[in-house]
Amino acid sequence: RERGTRMSALQGIRIVEMAGLAPAPFCGMILADFGADVVRVDRVGAGSMDQLARGKRSLAVNLKSPDGVETVLRLIEKADVLLEPYRPGVMERLGLGPDVAAGRNPRLVYARLTGFGQSGPYANMAGHDINYIAISGALSLLGRQGEKPLPPVNLLGDFAGGGMLCALGICLALLERAHSATGQIVDAAMVDGAAYLSTFVYKFRNSGMWRDERGTNMLDTGAPFYDTYRTRDGRFVSVGAIEPQFYAALLHGLGLDAAAMPQQMDQSKWGETARRFTEIFASKTRDEWSAVFDGTDACVAPIVGLAEAGDHPHNKARGLLIPDQQGKLEPAPAPVRACPAGRE
């Protein structure tokens, strides 16, 4: 299937999205990208900051007015999903809480997307992505040895642990509703989501395979074969040569004799190897290293900026970016869904 076309997996599913910032709009966009009919409810006079409005319609409503509340309730009556991004209790005070909504539509999936969740001591506190991933444990993992934790923009909490997992929760609730014929309440918290995404690190730590000090483990820049390196032109490459055969390909591309190098997993020599790699990578430009490693199993790839991503040959071949209504490039829906052989 061609990338960027409207996918129909959720065709016929009607979503009412209460306007919010970042995670809820992303969740709504995911559902719209895969065929759902999404109507965003904006507050009258508030304006919209939704940069993730692809595929949505919008309606401005005065939620302080009984008529405005009734308008939303009428939308709910015909909807499959209500998506709301407010702190606990806000929808109830508006007269749009789960009990009222279920009274108008018992089949409604009521998705509540918050940072701290609907319960717990922090439930009513303000916060942002950095706070949510902080208490999940995830933020403690990010950063180099001896340095302060480094937040990954707001990708991990807002978008992965929040919007993406909320969309999954909605789809699972819709699937369950197909059997039970009754609605569900989805409590999607970014703290929960960020922790869930970190499950493998928790598991590694529990088995003694992960140390708490940042930058000392194989996957957190502790290992010289899983890190980033500056090139001669001030750009960067990524290296992820974990398996022995991939590490051998890395050494070959760098012009190093494996027999003369320390053993790959000798952690006492990781600093020495990293310094050698740093020196060699600084001898060529990023694109020169791409010419060396492209097509090999060395697990080396250039680090490209947002302005460059659309021009990378692999991304062009995959249709990674598509034009928006102004002709500017943005990511296409993922994953790509291909029809079975013989079907269009």
Side-chain angles (χ1 to χ4, degrees):
R1 182 164 186 145
E2 185 178 351
R3 203 59 186 265
T5 57
R6 186 176 175 84
M7 300 185 185
S8 59
L10 296 177
Q11 186 172 0
I13 298 297
R14 289 168 292 191
I15 316 285
V16 175
E17 175 194 325
M18 307 302 290
L21 298 175
F26 182 56
C27 178
M29 189 192 78
I30 293 170
L31 301 171
D33 281 343
F34 288 88
D37 179 9
V38 180
V39 175
R40 187 188 67 226
V41 176
D42 295 323
R43 291 177 182 261
V44 170
S48 174
M49 295 179 64
D50 188 358
Q51 298 295 313
L52 300 164
R54 184 168 67 197
K56 303 176 188 177
R57 297 179 291 147
S58 64
L59 174 69
V61 175
N62 181 3
L63 294 176
K64 296 181 179 180
S65 158
D67 289 342
V69 171
E70 180 60 29
T71 296
V72 176
L73 287 171
R74 287 200 299 270
L75 290 174
I76 287 172
E77 286 179 351
K78 299 178 181 179
D80 297 284
V81 178
L82 174 68
L83 171 60
E84 64 98 350
Y86 307 132
R87 292 196 219 183
V90 170
M91 288 291 279
E92 285 83 351
R93 290 194 292 274
L94 289 172
L96 296 169
D99 292 343
V100 175
R104 301 289 282 259
N105 182 355
R107 290 173 50 84
L108 184 73
V109 171
Y110 197 112
R112 318 197 80 171
L113 178 50
T114 61
F116 295 117
Q118 297 297 312
S119 60
Y122 278 22
N124 288 299
M125 284 173 46
H128 278 296
D129 177 290
I130 193 170
N131 310 120
Y132 310 140
I133 67 173
I135 71 165
S136 76
L139 184 54
S140 72
L141 307 172
L142 309 176
R144 293 188 176 274
Q145 185 177 16
E147 298 182 4
K148 63 182 182 179
L150 181 66
V153 198
N154 58 338
L155 298 177
L156 183 53
D158 281 352
F159 296 106
M164 180 68 75
L165 284 185
C166 185
L168 173 62
I170 287 170
C171 290
L172 294 174
L174 289 171
L175 182 62
E176 198 281 337
R177 190 189 69 176
H179 303 289
S180 69
T182 58
Q184 307 274 308
I185 296 177
V186 177
D187 178 1
M190 287 172 246
V191 173
D192 303 357
Y196 193 34
L197 291 167
S198 308
T199 298
F200 94 98
V201 183
Y202 273 94
K203 292 282 192 179
F204 270 35
R205 185 180 184 277
N206 291 344
S207 61
M209 297 172 62
W210 192 276
R211 292 187 287 177
D212 288 338
E213 185 181 1
R214 283 185 301 282
T216 63
N217 301 284
M218 183 189 300
L219 301 179
D220 66 356
T221 73
F225 49 84
Y226 204 90
D227 205 344
T228 61
Y229 291 92
R230 185 186 296 271
T231 56
R232 192 179 70 195
D233 54 350
R235 295 179 175 182
F236 298 89
V237 295
S238 64
V239 176
I242 297 174
E243 292 78 3
Q245 67 273 27
F246 301 159
Y247 187 66
L250 170 65
L251 295 181
H252 177 76
L254 293 174
L256 292 168
D257 180 3
M261 294 292 294
Q263 289 296 314
Q264 180 185 2
M265 294 301 174
D266 183 353
Q267 295 191 23
S268 68
K269 302 292 186 180
W270 277 1
E272 175 186 331
T273 301
R275 288 187 290 273
R276 186 77 178 107
F277 285 3
T278 298
E279 177 184 317
I280 295 173
F281 274 114
S283 69
K284 296 181 188 292
T285 68
R286 184 197 66 180
D287 293 344
E288 287 172 339
W289 283 119
S290 292
V292 170
F293 287 111
D294 281 2
T296 76
D297 283 345
C299 300
V300 177
I303 297 178
V304 301
L306 300 187
E308 303 175 277
D311 292 325
H312 189 277
H314 182 79
N315 296 341
K316 290 179 73 171
R318 293 279 297 172
L320 184 80
L321 303 181
I322 56 174
D324 64 12
Q325 293 181 336
Q326 287 75 44
K328 297 181 179 180
L329 294 179
E330 64 182 19
V336 176
R337 209 163 54 89
C339 291
R343 289 175 54 187
E344 294 184 358

